[in-house]
Amino acid sequence: MGNAVKFIRLNMMIKLSRKESFIFSLFGNIIFFFLTYQLWHGIYAGDSGISSVLNFEAVILKLFLAMGLASFLNTNIEWFISRDILSGNIQKYLLIPEKFYNVKFFETIGTSICNLFSNTIPLFIFIFIKFKIELNLSFPLFLFSILISLIIIYNIDLIIGLTSFHTEAIWGISTIKTAIIAFLAGAVIPLEFLPLGFQNFLKYTPFEYIYQVPIKLLTSEANINEKMMMLLMQIICGLILTALAKIIFAHSVKKITINGG
Amino acid sequence: MIQLENVSKSFFIVKKAPGLGGSVKSLFVRNKETVEAVKKIDFTIADGEIVGLLGPNGAGKSTTIKMMTGILRCDHGRININGRDPFRERMKYTKDIGVVFGQRTQLWWELPVIESFDIIRKIYDVEMAEYNERLKLFDEMLGINQIIHKPVRNLSLGQRMLCDIAGAFLHNPRIAFLDEPTIGLDLNIKSKIRELILAMNKKFKTTIILTTHDISDIKALCERIIVIDKGSIIYDGNLSEISDLVGQNQEVGIYLENIENNQLLISAVQSEFAPDEVLDIDVREDYLNIRISNKITVSQLMGHILRNENIKDFTISEPDVEYVIRKVYAGELGNED
Ligand SMILES: Nc1ncnc2c1ncn2[C@@H]1O[C@H](COP(=O)(O)OP(=O)(O)OP(=O)(O)O)[C@@H](O)[C@H]1O
Ligand SMILES: [Mg+2]
């Protein structure tokens, strides 16, 4: 536990040493929110029957929440893992008496906390005030669910980072991952606009559990039992991905060649 | 105790024809090539030894160190260090070792050095009192206190290396693996690092395994050396006996009244002794340096040339390690079996 705090703190200090990047990313997010709003505003102005699926307010709420979560959860650690694998600097992580899996997770938390204060909290305060979201019993569930989302994304990123043992194409893979998650997890257009069959299919994939479960916990009319069920499914998804990532790591570390020297 | 038995490691590399065309072609056809980096090496190192791993570039030294530190798995053979398999028990094993790869840093690049030291203290469970005592010692020996509050990325190579070395010894490891710890350093920093290594070895009985291309490191630190070439061990023994490898016995310096008139003496020596008796004759500033093999003695040589009236004085010295190692690297082994 003490190690966790140390590594989280260390990573926060590293992130804070590049404070300009926060200002830019908050700025970028604000522009992105604004453009999204304008875009959908335009679409709804020329309404071609889409408001029968979801009304404008609901679209904006869903997208803003998903984008706000993305600003918190996107740490892109696969990028750093891959860089370290290709340069051989991964040795640093293998030479300390703490599991690689844990250290990278602590680093992810550190980055997320920085994102939280620089990006997510300002954005969420804006969303909560604008949409008059009540802080009822769902709110703690929402927070808890975000933690599980963090674990899910971490494992996906880790698995992708480890593919650098086999391919040097991390840039492409990482970009594709970000695009796919943004789209299939519902941060580009609300999933309600996708074909029904595809929507149902997505419910059986990890994408459902990244942004959708926390958003539904916060905003849907479902009763508490249904909400607990969603949370349970999300936890299961997190556990499966954790196991998978650990297996892949144990396999990869045998193949690792530690470049350089 | 460090034991390596029959340890081998190969790498696969994708071979590419040169140029853009070759790169495009390699997208479709992958020509895999095997590099045998380490071939069936064996050695045992006792606690408290200082051992130098030597060998030309690409010999397999770093690969051997990587396997001994548990970050690289060997393909064949067995590595047993203090009763552990470094790769399989990596997590526990790392507590016992300190590692420096001279080409890179173990410290956190963006942060002040002291933050890295602090996390090392934490994850290796170093007592606060012991930690402070060590920092004090490192400051006395290396003078690092002025630099540990700077971010690693702002340090010079030498400053960074001092901090890396200090970091590797911070948790009092039983074994320290130092892969080129003096690469690119000035004489002053080199000697500080050597002193620290010796002190750690004396005071705490830390076993030291180091690689270097600097012969003066070896002379200052190692009694025993292991020479690796093309992945195999070609010598394992005392530094003082390495000259046996090229069959050199002694060096004789002959000071002449008139150094320009050396030709007579040289041809006299060359006509009397065979090339495997007198290995070479070097004309230096004011003397001739003659290397003789163990097939003749100094007195035989001197008996023959003292008649020459041109001789002013002479010296006899132990073989020059640098010369010997250069010969070994060049593949000119005297008594290869
Ligand atoms: N990660 C790797 N992938 C492919 N080949 C490698 C890798 N690491 C080392 N090799 C090859 O293995 C051989 C031994 O390399 P190694 O780094 O152990 O040499 P070294 O003795 O440390 O040399 P130097 O003195 O130049 O550091 C070399 O031929 C090298 O090309
Ligand atoms: Mg090397």
Side-chain angles (χ1 to χ4, degrees):
Chain A
M1 193 55 203
N3 282 359
V5 175
K6 284 276 177 201
F7 278 110
I8 292 171
R9 185 175 158 272
L10 205 69
N11 197 254
M12 288 176 66
M13 288 193 298
I14 292 175
K15 295 293 164 200
L16 290 174
S17 71
R18 312 188 193 113
K19 45 187 175 306
E20 298 81 9
S21 73
F22 284 116
I23 298 165
F24 279 114
S25 82
L26 180 61
F27 199 55
N29 265 313
I30 290 172
I31 294 176
F32 194 36
F33 271 58
F34 179 73
L35 290 179
T36 304
Y37 186 88
Q38 289 303 321
L39 178 73
W40 287 93
H41 195 73
I43 292 173
Y44 271 83
D47 190 349
S48 40
I50 48 169
S51 49
S52 61
V53 183
L54 268 184
N55 66 34
F56 177 64
E57 290 278 298
V59 168
I60 293 299
L61 176 61
K62 277 172 190 287
L63 288 182
F64 277 19
L65 282 175
M67 286 158 56
L69 286 177
S71 76
F72 169 64
L73 297 170
N74 281 358
T75 55
N76 292 332
I77 57 143
E78 77 275 9
W79 186 256
F80 300 97
I81 293 176
S82 163
R83 189 192 60 186
D84 285 346
I85 289 174
L86 295 181
S87 69
N89 281 336
I90 190 98
Q91 48 92 17
K92 180 168 108 185
Y93 289 92
L94 300 179
L95 283 170
I96 52 179
E98 176 64 86
K99 289 199 170 84
F100 179 82
Y101 183 92
N102 296 350
V103 175
K104 282 293 169 193
F105 185 58
F106 301 149
E107 290 186 358
T108 303
I109 294 177
T111 307
S112 289
I113 292 175
C114 290
N115 288 345
L116 186 70
F117 285 103
S118 63
N119 273 288
T120 317
I121 288 183
L123 295 173
F124 269 61
I125 289 177
F126 166 74
I127 297 170
F128 276 50
I129 292 175
K130 172 152 175 54
F131 293 93
K132 302 185 185 68
I133 294 175
E134 287 172 46
L135 295 187
N136 57 19
L137 195 70
S138 302
F139 191 64
L141 289 184
F142 169 71
L143 292 184
F144 183 74
S145 172
I146 293 177
L147 283 185
I148 314 289
S149 297
L150 183 77
I151 292 172
I152 290 174
I153 293 212
Y154 168 65
N155 284 301
I156 293 175
D157 285 357
L158 182 64
I159 291 169
I160 289 175
L162 292 175
T163 60
S164 306
F165 284 107
H166 311 287
T167 164
E168 298 185 357
I170 190 67
W171 191 82
I173 295 176
S174 173
T175 312
I176 291 170
K177 177 213 78 171
T178 307
I180 289 183
I181 288 185
F183 185 72
L184 295 184
V188 179
I189 58 171
L191 297 175
E192 282 81 354
F193 290 120
L194 299 179
L196 208 59
F198 194 59
Q199 275 183 52
N200 284 330
F201 164 73
L202 283 180
K203 293 214 166 82
Y204 298 97
T205 67
F207 299 111
E208 167 78 7
Y209 301 102
I210 297 177
Y211 308 136
Q212 292 308 311
V213 168
I215 292 176
K216 283 177 189 161
L217 288 177
L218 189 69
T219 61
S220 89
E221 305 284 297
N223 68 34
I224 189 75
N225 283 344
E226 288 165 326
K227 287 189 173 178
M228 291 311 255
M229 195 61 201
M230 287 181 208
L231 200 53
L232 182 69
M233 292 297 288
Q234 195 197 18
I235 292 172
I236 292 173
C237 175
L239 289 177
I240 292 174
L241 282 172
T242 303
L244 193 64
K246 288 193 170 186
I247 291 170
I248 292 178
F249 177 74
H251 178 75
S252 303
V253 80
K254 289 180 192 158
K255 295 264 162 64
I256 194 169
T257 57
I258 318 278
N259 292 328
Chain B
M1 172 104 126
I2 299 177
Q3 271 178 301
L4 272 73
E5 280 171 28
N6 225 354
V7 172
S8 302
K9 179 76 196 178
S10 297
F11 294 107
F12 297 99
I13 47 172
V14 177
K15 225 183 135 188
K16 239 173 31 178
L20 180 63
S23 298
V24 173
K25 206 172 140 208
S26 77
L27 291 178
F28 305 103
V29 208
R30 293 214 144 191
N31 265 334
K32 270 201 179 175
E33 187 178 88
T34 313
V35 180
E36 283 186 79
V38 170
K39 302 173 203 163
K40 299 195 173 174
I41 60 171
D42 287 276
F43 57 78
T44 303
I45 294 171
D47 290 344
E49 274 194 87
I50 302 186
V51 177
L53 272 185
L54 306 188
N57 289 129
K61 305 178 296 293
S62 296
T63 306
T64 306
I65 295 238
K66 287 174 192 168
M67 289 190 286
M68 288 197 280
T69 53
I71 58 178
L72 189 64
R73 193 165 82 141
C74 57
D75 299 338
H76 302 286
R78 217 171 66 91
I79 303 180
N80 182 331
I81 299 181
N82 296 331
R84 290 213 165 98
D85 176 328
F87 183 83
R88 298 217 343 246
E89 299 167 74
R90 179 165 51 82
M91 208 63 65
K92 285 186 206 139
Y93 171 71
T94 50
K95 282 215 164 189
D96 287 349
I97 63 170
V99 183
V100 173
F101 287 107
Q103 331 262 30
R104 35 179 114 243
T105 179
Q106 305 298 114
L107 309 171
W108 273 262
W109 190 245
E110 295 90 344
L111 299 178
V113 179
I114 191 76
E115 297 294 344
S116 294
F117 285 180
D118 187 52
I119 200 144
I120 291 172
R121 178 184 68 75
K122 178 74 200 155
I123 57 185
Y124 288 90
D125 294 321
V126 184
E127 298 280 330
M128 203 61 192
E130 197 192 332
Y131 171 77
N132 287 327
E133 200 175 298
R134 289 208 155 227
L135 277 190
K136 208 170 132 238
L137 177 71
F138 294 150
D139 182 49
E140 278 161 19
M141 297 198 66
L142 307 175
I144 54 174
N145 270 8
Q146 313 103 293
I147 48 178
I148 54 177
H149 296 286
K150 289 191 190 172
V152 176
R153 62 164 174 231
N154 294 347
L155 298 180
S156 77
L157 173 65
Q159 292 170 333
R160 198 217 80 209
M161 199 75 95
L162 291 176
C163 295
D164 252 301
I165 302 254
F169 284 107
L170 206 52
H171 58 289
N172 196 9
R174 290 174 66 185
I175 309 175
F177 295 95
L178 313 171
D179 191 358
E180 305 198 35
T182 57
I183 188 169
L185 305 185
D186 71 34
L187 292 174
N188 173 33
I189 292 201
K190 262 188 203 171
S191 84
K192 280 186 185 172
I193 286 179
R194 287 176 198 152
E195 275 162 32
L196 184 81
I197 293 172
L198 281 176
M200 292 294 125
N201 175 259
K202 283 240 164 54
K203 249 193 169 144
F204 305 103
K205 299 271 163 296
T206 313
T207 310
I208 311 276
I209 317 289
L210 86 155
T211 78
T212 179
H213 290 292
D214 183 335
I215 300 303
S216 49
D217 282 346
I218 299 289
K219 286 191 202 158
L221 296 172
C222 312
E223 267 181 34
R224 174 178 169 194
I225 58 171
I226 297 178
V227 183
I228 302 184
D229 188 23
K230 301 191 188 74
S232 305
I233 293 181
I234 54 173
Y235 179 77
D236 178 354
N238 272 342
L239 177 63
S240 53
E241 288 156 19
I242 191 186
S243 47
D244 292 354
L245 257 191
V246 289
Q248 192 195 350
N249 187 14
Q250 236 128 19
E251 276 184 39
V252 183
I254 311 278
Y255 290 82
L256 300 177
E257 296 289 351
N258 184 353
I259 188 78
E260 275 77 48
N261 272 341
N262 58 39
Q263 207 42 55
L264 206 65
L265 188 65
I266 292 179
S267 45
V269 171
Q270 277 170 343
S271 64
E272 183 66 20
F273 297 101
D276 65 339
E277 291 171 339
V278 168
L279 299 171
D280 77 35
I281 304 177
D282 226 5
V283 185
R284 304 274 168 91
E285 229 161 89
D286 57 347
Y287 69 102
L288 291 178
N289 193 57
I290 304 179
R291 297 175 203 279
I292 59 171
S293 78
N294 43 20
K295 295 208 167 88
I296 58 168
T297 62
V298 177
S299 57
Q300 277 174 305
L301 176 75
M302 294 316 289
H304 187 72
I305 60 176
L306 267 182
R307 276 173 256 138
N308 190 318
E309 65 281 358
N310 194 9
I311 293 180
K312 202 165 62 175
D313 200 359
F314 67 92
T315 59
I316 304 171
S317 56
E318 287 299 303
D320 173 16
V321 178
E322 182 157 1
Y323 167 82
V324 173
I325 288 180
R326 233 185 13 243
K327 287 275 175 197
V328 171
Y329 285 7
E332 296 175 26
L333 296 186
N335 53 356
E336 209 174 5
D337 41 304

